Amino acid sequence: MNATGSMGLAVAVRPCCRLIAAQILPRCPHQHGRRIAALPFFPRCSRGRRHFSRCPCPLPPRRSAAAWVRAAVAPARDGAAVSDPRRLSTSVGPGPVPGGDKDFGRIFVQGLAAVKPLVIDSGEQPPAVEGEKAKKEAVEEEEEDRSEVAKARLQSESEKEAWRLLKNAVVTYCGSPVGTLAAIDPAVELLNYDQVFIRDFVPSALAFLLKGEMEIVRNFLLHTLHLQSWEKTVDCYSPGQGLMPASFKVRSVAQGSNGEVEEFLDPDFGESAIGRVAPVDSGGHLIKISGVVCFLIEVVLGMGLIVTIGRVSNSCLSLAGLWWIILLRAYGKISGDYALQERIDVQTGIKLILNLCLSDGFDMFPTLLVTDGSCMIDRRMGIHGHPLEIQALFYCALRCSREMIVASDGSKNVLRAINNRLSALSFHIREYYWADMKKVNEIYRYKTEEYSQDAINKFNIYPEQIPGWLVDWIPEKGGYFIGNLQPAHMDFRFFSLGNLWAIISSLATPKQAEGILDLIEDKWDDLVGNMPLKICYPALENEEWRITTGSDPKNTPWSYHNGGSWPTLLWQFTLACIKMGRPESARKAIAIAENHLSNDRWPEYYDTPTGRFIGKQSRLYQTWTIAGFLASKLLLENPELASILTFEEDLELLEGCACSLAKSPRIKCSRRAAKSHIFV
Ligand code: GLC
């Protein structure tokens, strides 16, 4: 799709004009019987009564945690476990397609019923005689149940309290759980902390999934998908239909005089957010289409059909529901409910996100260009451009999508585009964002103003940019990805979330991933100290703080986003450590957190260079602190379950990039070439 853009778009779902969306989408589905019946995707209350309080949706029966643990490596529905996740997900070969077909905007999702279940990690059991198999399973089950009891006995007081608080934070909609509040701090004004944040919910979701509670995650995934359609405006500007919200709230409105209440979901796309920041990691601008086209969709949906509509010629801003996609894959892998990701509306949702996310723009880099404050750091902190955090989540979301998109004629272009982008993105980040002793020394000796294809200093970085703190800080062993890269600009700050997700998603090479953990070990006092983990290091101070943050009193040096310590980063650190076979580091960090969190009433963040004080304006009883702690504990107990979020190195992707770098005949494109060209 291009800027003047016309695009054939087959939309299976997603009514989105003001009239329609405002009336039908956010409300309790069963209140709109006839209309909603046309939409096959809503989790519907089975009893068609009018008011929420009178029509609780029956919850599906719960499975035991042990049973869910087994389901984490559940075989595909046809029993054909696929050991290589790439087999199904890279049906279109990697490698750039010069001037290739970028029209992956045509989204057809056809013949889903006939589609084979999606990728499953190797969970294959050796064939066994039925009777023996049943006996073995019974014994295993008993053992698992016993170890469950043992684990339950071992649950610390902090864990028990954390579970109680997490459950207390659950929000229901039409009687079903749909998310968790960001914080329940009775002492301070909640502002928007009484909402369900997409990114904040991820650790809650993980804790629930690991505990065997799937329903809340499923509901969350579906409801947030449908909130993409909500109408939103910032003053006189309507930023685009389809944006996934940063957060939402369940509101109740009294109906009539008999005390009945009606519930609806009220999303916040950034139009009320402090600073009006766009939540790139949680959602993104998807598509902007006219009311007429939307009306057509509604009519067509009413007939239960999928059609190609429109030649849509609006500017489309594109950024993705990165966390949403990542969570969708994790949910599928642990629950075995692959049917959810195969649903037409969900497939269409993924493709629409990607369609716009991968569209051509003015940019010369494969990284996503975003504004300041578009991720976990949602205030001005000088991270506009190509911040690492967004790139790592983008890479991970692309890999998740590649696994989940059902291969068909209609999806081959988007799969090809994903592969191309993955190759280019991993090359770019591995090569240009990496900083270690050797690289910093190289930069120190850079020549500038090189005009040629073969320039060494491609981004014209002036060596004077190497900050004083880095000269002493960079360890002999290990390294990290810098925070941001632009022409003549390297942000050398260490950002934890981006580095951890680079490990988790295999955006980093195995060597780089080891290097990042080495650096964290080496700089333990700076990055972990009294509370894991620093959101970034070091803090901006003095004039730099004044200019970069706009004198933000919340982001003063070593507070909040500016070098504060965020316990919610713990679960991501745990994942990275487990993936790299170094769980002892995570255990050490969790023990530090466990010493303080409950006593300190589960703060959102800590201040000071070593994280000694509870943050100045920190909320207490912050849900993602609580959930992050629980998820970390559960991951350590069940390290094999880390695979619902992690990825392994994919040499095929590197092959694609090696081919284009080699500028030589196809024969040179091999894994060996990839290894030699790309920093493995
Ligand atoms: C703060 C954080 C943001 C989080 C929100 C709700 O604004 O910066 O990342 O999502 O609080 O907890």
Side-chain angles (χ1 to χ4, degrees), residues 245-472:
S247 60
F248 67 85
K249 193 174 163 81
V250 178
R251 293 192 193 277
S252 306
V253 180
Q255 288 289 307
S257 52
N258 55 0
E260 289 172 330
V261 264
E262 190 178 33
E263 285 190 327
F264 65 96
L265 296 180
D266 185 7
D268 180 357
F269 295 91
E271 74 270 36
S272 310
I274 297 163
R276 303 292 186 261
V277 284
V280 176
D281 59 345
S282 326
H285 297 271
L286 287 183
I287 190 162
K288 191 170 181 174
I289 48 184
S290 74
V292 175
V293 172
C294 292
F295 180 70
L296 276 176
I297 299 170
E298 166 74 353
V299 170
V300 168
L301 279 170
M303 299 185 302
L305 293 177
I306 307 162
V307 287
T308 304
I309 49 147
R311 289 176 64 78
V312 183
S313 58
N314 266 309
S315 62
C316 298
L317 287 168
S318 102
L319 296 169
L322 308 175
W323 281 119
W324 183 85
I325 290 177
I326 292 167
L327 184 58
L328 179 66
R329 170 180 178 258
Y331 166 80
K333 287 192 73 145
I334 198 163
S335 67
D337 176 11
Y338 291 100
L340 184 83
Q341 50 187 253
E342 290 170 18
R343 279 166 52 148
I344 290 174
D345 56 334
V346 177
Q347 286 280 313
T348 307
I350 301 171
K351 287 180 193 170
L352 283 174
I353 290 168
L354 294 176
N355 191 29
L356 292 149
C357 211
L358 295 170
S359 66
D360 293 335
F362 292 110
D363 219 352
M364 289 293 288
F365 308 136
T367 34
L368 277 183
L369 178 64
V370 300
T371 57
D372 217 344
S374 53
C375 51
M376 177 184 177
I377 294 179
D378 56 1
R379 294 164 85 95
R380 196 173 144 192
M381 266 294 289
I383 57 165
H384 52 274
H386 304 91
L388 176 70
E389 173 171 336
I390 291 291
Q391 315 315 324
L393 293 174
F394 179 40
Y395 180 87
C396 193
L398 286 177
R399 289 206 60 178
C400 293
S401 307
R402 196 174 66 152
E403 243 182 60
M404 293 189 293
I405 289 176
V406 176
S408 69
D409 278 354
S411 61
K412 69 173 189 276
N413 287 341
V414 74
L415 286 170
R416 185 190 296 126
I418 290 173
N419 276 321
N420 290 342
R421 192 61 169 259
L422 280 169
S423 296
L425 188 59
S426 59
F427 174 78
H428 186 85
I429 299 283
R430 289 169 175 204
E431 188 76 12
Y432 304 127
Y433 278 60
W434 183 248
D436 58 9
M437 185 65 184
K438 185 165 162 262
K439 185 68 182 285
V440 175
N441 205 160
E442 229 170 73
I443 299 169
Y444 180 74
R445 291 165 50 79
Y446 265 167
K447 290 192 182 44
T448 56
E449 321 298 333
E450 292 174 280
Y451 180 82
S452 86
Q453 290 273 325
D454 306 316
I456 307 272
N457 181 4
K458 289 199 173 68
F459 303 98
N460 203 31
I461 305 296
Y462 301 105
E464 289 69 21
Q465 270 179 46
I466 298 175
W469 63 266
L470 187 67
V471 176
D472 298 324

